[in-house]
Amino acid sequence: MKIALFVDFDNVYSGLRRISAEAAERFSRQPLRWLSWLTTGADGENIDDTSRDRRRVLVRRCYLNPVMYQKYRRPFHEAGFEIVDCPPMTATGKTSTDIHLVLDTMDALLDDTHFDEFVVFSADADFSPVLRRLRRHDRRTVVFAAGAMSESYKASADRVIDIQTFLHDALELPSAEDEEELPMHIAPPVDAAATADLRRRLADQVRSIVLKAELPVRLPALAQSLQRENAGLREGLWDGAGSFGNLMRQLGIPEIQFDFPNAVAIDLQRMGEWRAADATRQTNPLPPASAIEETAQIEAEAPSQQLPPTELKGAAEEIVKRSVAESKTPVHLAVLGQVLRRRLPQLATGWAGAPTLAAFLQQLNIEPLQRALLDNGTTAVLYDPARHEPPAGVVGDRLVIGMLRAAELPEMRGADLVRILENSRQHMGTAESFEIAKVSRSVAISMTGDGFSISPRRVATVLQAMIFGGLDATKAYAQAQDLIVASMGVILSAWARETQVQPDDEARGRLLAWLGPTSEILIPE
């Protein structure tokens, strides 16, 4: 595959800088790192050395403001990029990057080389017409944006590279879900007998919780239960393991499978015994019996060899559609993940390059199936609107749902957003740079300790949307109310841009009603 790559350096660098100074530096100083990922792993393909020429970046063009970013010129030059200087042309700092990028893209489109794929690194929605022109000429388009994207911009591209995937896979930075290593200055426990006794007790408690549960147990909830039963467990760095996940791995409980990508613990023996929920349990459906039974029946028929990405996704689409079609109730994503991994062992070690099962499902053509959250605000399900009653969800107001989508926020309770913001405030406006992965882990741990189970990835999704929408994480907010008001302004502004409708008193009132009686908050005009 012949690729033409165009990088709006100023746009990407400034966007990354807002959520992670380390990410911005790695992007700027080590372009060969993420360029290698782009040619070998961006689509979940494992391309060996003999076939590397199948995916080549023939055009590498970087548009850079030499006044601001001259020090990053050399790394891109050494990575084989053509550097186009775009100095400020106006008093406000406006450069000529946009027109240069558009003209160079059109030149590449008309080139005799016939590029198969055009990759644009920019969050600037002004490039939407260019993407649509490329599509008209039957060229594949890929976009990476370190910033908020309009729906039209995303729809104009064949693929959008998820920023968390880029941080974790391309820049090789720890993600919000990665386990922290045990700090070197922490000494191992001295009393080996006491440690062995504690771990036996912990293993028994985990067995009791998971084996009695009717559904896969969410790991944050499991961690919270262990903390309640064993005072000081988290403060002791999980008995010297350094993290909850490492401790569970070290316990090695054979009856239980820990699915860390989906954040659940599963009773292996009961996988084949689960049945679909009856009509009285619509808000908490059990896994569909047909999907689980089918897994056991055809496990021996699973392909023994690696499938190409196109065939893998096609097979996954068929499994997902069939599982949902045969279920009387919405299907839990955690259960669906188990079915996919049993049917397609190739997915056992990852989701074909996607960071999570949810991200992998977004790459599949599974219309008209829809994803939703149950009323607990954390359990994700997949359902068919033509056959299933839509889950009640956690918002309930279609106008507010539209606002959240415009701001690229997940459907969630207003109170949960307030808790995330309140716990994040202490990390803003400090001398230490704001690193979204580190902050998200800290916030998730704090909230879980207070009795509100949440994953670091969900926290990261919320903070990323807020920051890209205009929230300044480098600013110190004296009161939690100040941060909440600023965040509500971000949501309303995103909705106004997307709909071209200025918020009125009704829109503000409904957003305030969703937020809940958390405090005396005045939503900005």
Side-chain angles (χ1 to χ4, degrees), residues 15 26 39 60 68 79 102 121 146 148 151 209 231 288 310 363 401 499:
R26 287 201 185 184
T39 57
R60 308 175 185 184
M68 295 289 295
V102 170
F121 275 37
E151 290 300 319
I209 294 171
T310 52
Q363 298 177 8
I401 290 175
T499 62

Side-chain angles (χ1 to χ4, degrees), residues 126-358:
D126 289 347
F127 298 131
S128 298
V130 178
L131 298 178
R132 290 194 286 268
R133 175 66 64 88
L134 293 170
R135 175 182 291 168
R136 187 187 308 168
H137 287 269
D138 194 24
R139 309 300 173 90
R140 188 171 186 262
T141 55
V142 178
V143 167
F144 169 67
M149 287 186 290
S150 68
E151 290 300 319
S152 62
Y153 187 43
K154 289 186 285 188
S156 298
D158 292 308
R159 180 164 180 255
V160 177
I161 298 175
D162 176 71
I163 190 166
Q164 293 300 326
T165 301
F166 187 77
L167 295 180
H168 186 267
D169 296 345
L171 299 183
E172 300 178 9
L173 286 168
S175 70
E177 297 289 352
D178 286 339
E179 302 291 346
E180 294 179 295
E181 296 294 331
L182 178 64
M184 296 300 293
H185 66 276
I186 300 296
V190 176
D191 191 342
T195 295
D197 181 65
L198 173 61
R199 294 203 170 194
R200 280 194 294 270
R201 188 166 68 250
L202 290 172
D204 290 340
Q205 291 170 356
V206 172
R207 286 192 189 93
S208 176
I209 294 171
V210 177
L211 300 186
K212 290 179 180 178
E214 294 183 347
L215 292 169
V217 177
R218 298 185 64 254
L219 295 186
L222 182 59
Q224 182 181 336
S225 297
L226 295 182
Q227 290 168 18
R228 285 198 299 264
E229 298 293 329
N230 304 274
L233 185 60
R234 190 179 69 194
E235 289 73 11
L237 288 175
W238 299 99
D239 194 39
S243 69
F244 171 72
N246 285 341
L247 178 59
M248 294 301 101
R249 294 184 182 98
Q250 292 174 14
L251 290 180
I253 306 174
E255 305 96 326
I256 298 172
Q257 176 177 333
F258 293 96
D259 185 353
F260 293 103
N262 291 305
V264 291
I266 302 165
D267 176 2
L268 293 177
Q269 185 175 354
R270 298 191 65 191
M271 280 290 293
E273 301 174 359
W274 284 340
R275 294 294 184 267
D278 56 26
T280 63
R281 305 187 66 176
Q282 289 290 329
T283 61
N284 194 21
L286 294 178
S290 57
I292 300 302
E293 291 170 354
E294 176 194 19
T295 301
Q297 294 171 0
I298 64 175
E299 191 171 7
E301 302 175 7
S304 58
Q305 59 183 0
Q306 296 284 309
L307 295 174
T310 52
E311 294 184 21
L312 177 66
K313 291 179 180 179
E317 290 168 0
E318 183 63 28
I319 293 170
V320 170
K321 290 179 179 178
R322 182 175 175 184
S323 297
V324 176
E326 295 181 355
S327 174
K328 296 179 180 179
T329 58
V331 181
H332 280 229
L333 256 63
V335 174
L336 188 59
Q338 292 299 315
V339 174
L340 284 169
R341 281 178 162 162
R342 286 175 181 265
R343 289 286 308 274
L344 302 170
Q346 190 170 339
L347 298 176
T349 57
W351 298 109
T356 63
L357 170 60

